[in-house]
Amino acid sequence: MELFDFILDDVVPTKPIRIGVLSDTHVPDRVGDLHPDILPSFKELNVDLIIHAGDICIPAVLQKLEEVAPVVAVQGNRDWWRIKQLPSHKIINIKEVKILITHGHGQLFTYLWDKVPYWLLGYRFERFVKKFSKWEPDFDIVIFGHSHRAENQWVGGRLYFNPGSAYEPMQNHQGATIGLLEISERKTIDAKIVFLRELGWRGGKWIEKNR
C-alpha cells in the first residue's frame, strides 16, 4: 500500500497538527444537508486538515469541508456511484505518525458477510480490531467509520478512532458526533470525540429534537 507524506502549507513545523475527523454524513440519502454544527466546529477547533472516512454520498459535502481546511477522503459503501473515484483506503504520514484511513466495510463479499454476526450479535468493536489487525502492523492510528458508533480506544499500542456518524443515527443512541486528533512532536497523539447538538432532519431542515 502506498504511503503519502502529508505536508501542510503555512503550518509551523513545531506546531501540533489539528485534524478534524468525520464520517457517515449521508447527504442526501438520509439527510438533506450537513449538520449545521460541523463547519463551525471545525473552524472553532482551528483544524489544519479534515479527514472524511466515507459514506459522503455527494461531492458537494467535500467541497463545503474544503472551505475550512484541506480534505482527505476515502470511499464508503454508499459512495460507489457518485464518488467512485475515491480510494477505498488511504495511508498518510503526519509528523512520523502513520495513519490508515478506511471506511471499514471491506469488499462487497466482506460487507455482506459481516451483516450476519451483526444481525445475530449486534455491534462489536472487537470485530473491527480483528479486521484491521490483518493489515500492516505498523499503523499508529486507524481511522474508520461505517458502524455509526464513536470509538476512541487504544489497543496494542494503536489508536482505533471512529468519529461516529455526523448526522442523526437513531439506532446508536449517541447522537451526531465528529472527532479531533492532535499530533505533536515525538509522535504524541491526543484524540477526542466531539458531540454535536441534538438535532433531527425533519421537513427538509434541521430542527431541535424536542420540537
Side-chain angles (χ1 to χ4, degrees):
M1 289 180 286
E2 190 173 2
L3 173 66
F4 295 89
D5 287 304
F6 205 87
I7 307 299
L8 293 165
D9 296 330
D10 302 323
V11 173
V12 179
T14 57
K15 173 184 174 290
I17 300 295
R18 296 171 69 84
I19 305 170
V21 186
L22 77 166
S23 187
D24 297 275
T25 43
H26 285 284
V27 176
D29 65 328
R30 297 187 181 177
V31 293
D33 202 357
L34 285 175
H35 189 294
D37 288 352
I38 292 175
L39 299 182
S41 294
F42 284 151
K43 289 178 182 177
E44 183 178 345
L45 292 168
N46 196 27
V47 299
D48 302 297
L49 174 70
I50 295 174
I51 291 174
H52 197 309
D55 276 2
I56 304 153
C57 297
I58 56 172
V61 169
L62 300 180
Q63 292 164 6
K64 287 186 176 182
L65 294 171
E66 286 170 347
E67 294 174 4
V68 178
V71 176
V72 174
V74 295
Q75 185 182 118
N77 53 287
R78 297 291 186 109
D79 298 323
W80 63 272
W81 178 34
R82 292 188 179 96
I83 323 181
K84 58 185 178 182
Q85 75 276 11
L86 289 176
S88 62
H89 63 274
K90 200 159 193 176
I91 305 166
I92 62 174
N93 187 45
I94 297 179
K95 290 185 178 291
E96 300 184 1
V97 172
K98 192 174 182 181
I99 304 171
L100 167 65
I101 308 164
T102 180
H103 188 58
H105 64 295
Q107 301 300 319
L108 178 61
F109 176 79
T110 306
Y111 168 64
L112 296 174
W113 181 252
D114 277 352
K115 286 186 174 294
V116 176
Y118 177 78
W119 287 331
L120 294 174
L121 304 172
Y123 170 72
R124 295 289 188 274
F125 167 67
E126 295 77 12
R127 293 183 59 250
F128 283 90
V129 174
K130 183 178 179 180
K131 179 188 296 187
F132 298 135
S133 68
K134 298 176 183 178
W135 296 55
E136 294 181 33
D138 58 343
F139 296 120
D140 300 295
I141 304 174
V142 175
I143 294 175
F144 63 106
H146 189 52
S147 68
H148 293 197
R149 266 76 171 180
E151 298 287 359
N152 182 12
Q153 298 195 45
W154 287 88
V155 179
R158 175 185 291 170
L159 174 62
Y160 292 86
F161 193 76
N162 185 332
S165 174
Y167 81 105
E168 173 217 10
M170 299 292 291
Q171 72 273 24
N172 70 10
H173 307 295
Q174 289 183 329
T177 54
I178 57 176
L180 177 69
L181 295 174
E182 186 170 279
I183 301 175
S184 306
E185 299 301 309
R186 299 181 182 179
K187 301 179 70 171
T188 302
I189 302 167
D190 291 311
K192 71 175 182 178
I193 301 297
V194 178
F195 288 84
L196 307 179
R197 283 180 296 163
E198 294 188 9
L199 303 178
W201 183 260
R202 305 288 186 272
K205 61 182 178 181
W206 289 99
I207 62 171
E208 295 178 5
K209 282 190 176 182
N210 57 3
R211 291 179 55 184

